Every structure is written in C-alpha cells, then in structure tokens.
Amino acid sequence: MEGLMNKLRHLDAYPKVNEDFYSRTLSGGFITLVSSVVMLLLFFSEIRLYLHPVVETKLVVDSSRGETLRINFDVTFPAIACSILSLDAIDISGEQHLDVKHDIVKERLDVNGNVIEVRPDGVGSRKMEKPLQRQGGRLEHNETYCGSCYGAESIDGECCNSCEEVRDAYRKKGWAMSNLDLIEQCKREGFFQKIKDEEGEGCNIYCSLEVKKVAGNFHFAPGKSFDQSNIHVHDLQAFRKNRFNLSHTINRLAFGDHFPGVVNPLDGVQWMQKQPIGMYQYFIKVVPTMYKDENGHTIQSNQFSVTEHFKGAERGLLDNLAGVFFIYDLSPIKVTFAEGHVSFLHFLTNVCAIVGGVFAVSGIIDSCIYHGQKAMEKKMEIGKFN
C-alpha cells in the first residue's frame, strides 16, 4: 500500500516548494493585482455572454409557395391633396388592385404639415336628400334612386349612384372622363368643390397592403387609374392640371412584421421634386427572413435593399406616368436567425481558459521582470568591483 502511495506521489504535476524559499517582489504584487482585475473583467464578460442569447444566421433556399406579402407603409406628400392621390398595386401574375381604398387612411395636411382631418379613403362624400333620377325629376317617398352611368353601363339597367361609381364604370370600360361638370352625381357630391377646398394641402397616407408573394409594384400617382389597350394610365383630365409636385417623405416602409435587429433602409428618406414632370422609382430587393427566438416563437418577415432612380421627361410627355413607384422583386434565398444560449460546458471551458491563460501570461511577465532585475543587479555589482 505504501509503495502504491509513493508511485501516486511521483505523478504529482504540482510539486510544492517550501515557503522558506519563496521570494516576493514589488513587481510581482503589482502584476498579481493587474492580472486579477483582468481575470474579473473577462469573467464577467463571459457571464454576460452566457446569460444573453446569441443569434445564429443561416442561408437556405426559400421553398414557400402560395404565401402573401404584407407591405406596411407611411408616406407623406406635403404638396399634393388627398383627393388627387391614388394607390395602385400590380404584380407579374397579372393581378391588379387599382385605386386601392380598403384599409387606406389619409390625413389631410395644411401647408405647415399639421393634420386637418383623418379619414379612411373614400369616406366623406356629400349627399343630397332628394337626388335627381335618371329619367329626370326628384325622388319621391320610398322611391329607389338609380343614377345614370352615362354610357358606361356593363349591363342594361346598371345604376351609378355616386360620382365614384361613375368614374369606376368609365375605368372598367377603359374610358377617360373628360368633362365631370356634366355628371350629375359629381355635381351633387361637390367633387370639384372638394378638390378646390383641398388645393395647396398635403397628404399623409398609410396602411397595410396585402399582395401575392411575387414580383410587382405599388405606386402613388395623381388621378384615377385605368387600363387602356393593356396600358396602365392615370386620368388627370378631371383635375385640370398638368403638373403635380410629388415631393415626399417615407416615414416607414416595411415588408412584413418587425423583428429584433431589422433595418428598413427607406425609413425617414426624403425626396424633393425639382423637375416639372417625372417618375421617381425605388427598386427593392426583398429577402425573405425568419426569426426564431429562444422560446421557439417564430416571426416570418422580410428584409430589403433598395436603389433609387428618377426618370424625367419634357413637360407633357409623361403626364400619365408621373408618380412614386416602389418596384419590388423577391430573392430566392431565405435568411434564418435563431436565438440560442452558449452551453454550460462551453462557458466552463472559457472560464478555465481565462484563468489559466491570464495566470500563465502574468507568470511569464513576472519571470521576465524578475530575471531582468537580477541581471541588472549582477551587472551593477560587477561594475562596482571593476
């Protein structure tokens, strides 16, 4: 048994030195103090890293199909009235949403940018108690009003009971309305008076737009949009203007839900129109993104990059194309972010590396200083004897 203990004693990698042979120095004490502070700082840094989640990034092929893309935007046009501005969304599959009004909110702004009125788009038309009937004369008690579509009826007996319905009927036919003064519904609702009242105002428009997850564009433009010979145009004749100031500020533009660390490069971007006519274009590359937090909750969203371009022309040549266009395309690569924690064994390994590393480095420094001092003292003694 004693022989076994002796063999085990010979395996000791930490031989002990008698305290009588210890030599403590001032430099050694200073190095010990500094190395202890460094150890503590690195230790607390490692604890902080261990307690906070780390995000792992991966790139995968986006194999999703049949999904939709939600576009959240908030754009301010300080020099164009809400009654003039329209929103269209078109994608490469052929689906078109012209003059979008659902869930669109417009804020009328005065010249100083103060809000005059907030209302959902399409709300606020004036009505008469007894409008004119198509055949002439006023409505009597319990009579049902049926306004004329002025030749744009798609079926016999179709009614257009508001100025907006008449304009929609013309849009479906691909016709431009050249003289709204003759439309009884528009006169009844004070269409031109509303445009005149809002002259010089600005507009803040915001909403969430749901579109197919394919390449496409959405744009803000003056006038009523319609298709004419498969060409997308805007009817500006009703407004009797040939110039519109489309200067704008993008307060917010996001494709999908917010997730930690997302950066939307167009937030806060401003553009001031200097030419009379033109089309301002934002070419956007949308990257599908999935964020998974440490609790397993998943957020399906998107990131995007953007380039900008202004397409100007001589006055009168681009009236039907004047607008602010957001042209987006989708990347086939999906980015995934996954939150996680460093394992305890990894944390323990790093702590041991910190303690051992700092101790070894400080020992080397102390040894160099100690032997350097000894060498200097020895040389000084030799010099005295000489």
Side-chain angles (χ1 to χ4, degrees):
M1 186 68 178
E2 187 177 351
L4 180 62
M5 291 296 182
N6 289 332
K7 289 181 180 180
L8 188 60
R9 190 178 295 112
H10 286 300
L11 293 176
D12 185 6
Y14 311 99
K16 311 304 184 291
V17 180
N18 195 309
E19 292 186 4
D20 294 336
F21 298 100
Y22 284 162
S23 177
R24 301 182 185 276
T25 62
L26 180 62
S27 61
F30 179 76
I31 292 173
T32 301
L33 181 62
V34 172
S35 61
S36 299
V37 172
V38 172
M39 280 185 193
L40 285 175
L41 291 176
L42 293 177
F43 176 72
F44 285 119
S45 175
E46 194 63 33
I47 287 181
R48 179 174 169 273
L49 182 62
Y50 174 70
L51 295 178
H52 286 75
V54 294
V55 179
E56 182 182 1
T57 305
K58 291 183 181 179
L59 297 178
V60 296
V61 175
D62 184 19
S63 58
S64 60
R65 294 185 297 173
E67 296 183 358
T68 58
L69 181 67
R70 187 167 74 253
I71 306 171
N72 306 306
F73 62 82
D74 182 349
V75 185
T76 300
F77 294 86
I80 187 168
C82 290
S83 58
I84 297 176
L85 197 63
S86 65
L87 168 65
D88 300 331
I90 305 171
D91 61 45
I92 60 172
S93 68
E95 186 169 321
Q96 298 186 14
H97 302 276
L98 303 182
D99 198 16
V100 180
K101 294 183 180 296
H102 184 64
D103 292 335
I104 301 291
V105 179
K106 291 181 176 180
E107 295 179 342
R108 292 173 56 195
L109 306 176
D110 61 19
V111 292
N112 298 317
N114 300 316
V115 178
I116 301 173
E117 180 187 13
V118 180
R119 69 184 185 213
D121 196 15
V123 176
S125 299
R126 297 189 312 198
K127 304 292 183 182
M128 282 183 61
E129 293 183 3
K130 290 187 176 183
L132 287 172
Q133 185 61 284
R134 178 187 348 217
Q135 295 82 4
R138 299 287 177 183
L139 291 180
E140 298 300 331
H141 184 64
N142 291 332
E143 268 193 297
T144 301
Y145 174 67
C146 181
S148 172
C149 294
Y150 297 88
E153 297 89 348
S154 56
I155 57 174
D156 291 338
E158 182 179 7
C159 301
C160 294
N161 295 338
S162 67
C163 182
E164 193 67 26
E165 290 180 4
V166 176
R167 297 176 70 198
D168 284 337
Y170 268 69
R171 177 177 60 82
K172 292 176 182 177
K173 289 284 188 179
W175 300 348
M177 299 189 68
S178 58
N179 198 347
L180 286 175
D181 291 332
L182 302 179
I183 306 299
E184 184 267 336
Q185 292 91 327
C186 296
K187 291 191 294 183
R188 166 166 51 90
E189 296 173 9
F191 179 80
F192 284 111
Q193 184 61 40
K194 182 170 67 172
I195 295 175
K196 185 177 180 181
D197 292 342
E198 295 184 9
E199 189 171 352
E201 292 182 1
C203 185
N204 182 45
I205 179 170
Y206 58 91
C207 85
S208 291
L209 190 64
E210 200 85 18
V211 297
K212 286 184 178 180
K213 197 174 179 180
V214 294
N217 79 81
F218 66 96
H219 56 269
F220 304 94
K224 191 78 171 178
S225 58
F226 63 95
D227 280 334
Q228 188 173 49
S229 302
N230 294 323
I231 299 175
H232 182 75
V233 297
H234 283 256
D235 179 18
L236 303 178
Q237 298 183 37
F239 305 108
R240 299 168 182 173
K241 295 176 66 176
N242 57 7
R243 175 174 176 174
F244 296 93
N245 186 348
L246 291 169
S247 300
H248 59 274
T249 300
I250 303 174
N251 304 307
R252 179 172 181 258
L253 177 64
F255 291 81
D257 297 330
H258 175 83
F259 63 89
V262 65
V263 176
N264 298 317
L266 285 179
D267 288 0
V269 169
Q270 294 182 338
W271 176 73
M272 301 301 295
Q273 181 171 312
K274 297 180 180 178
Q275 298 188 26
I277 302 171
M279 176 194 300
Y280 200 79
Q281 300 170 314
Y282 295 94
F283 294 94
I284 299 172
K285 175 65 75 171
V286 179
V287 181
T289 304
M290 183 186 75
Y291 192 94
K292 186 176 182 180
D293 63 20
E294 56 183 326
N295 298 320
H297 179 66
T298 300
I299 301 174
Q300 297 289 348
S301 188
N302 301 276
Q303 303 176 86
F304 68 91
S305 60
V306 62
T307 56
E308 305 172 26
H309 176 68
F310 178 74
K311 184 179 180 181
E314 295 296 329
R315 189 170 181 174
L317 295 181
L318 277 180
D319 280 6
N320 60 341
L321 293 178
V324 180
F325 285 70
F326 296 85
I327 304 164
Y328 57 88
D329 192 9
L330 286 100
S331 169
I333 302 299
K334 185 175 186 177
V335 180
T336 63
F337 297 105
E339 287 185 353
H341 279 283
V342 176
S343 67
F344 179 74
L345 289 178
H346 186 76
F347 165 73
L348 195 60
T349 301
N350 288 348
V351 170
C352 292
I354 289 171
V355 174
V358 173
F359 185 79
V361 172
S362 60
I364 293 172
I365 295 174
D366 179 63
S367 178
C368 292
I369 294 175
Y370 177 75
H371 290 292
Q373 287 178 343
K374 288 294 184 181
M376 290 293 294
E377 290 175 359
K378 189 174 182 180
K379 287 184 178 181
M380 290 175 65
E381 288 179 1
I382 295 173
K384 286 180 180 181
F385 288 120
N386 291 337

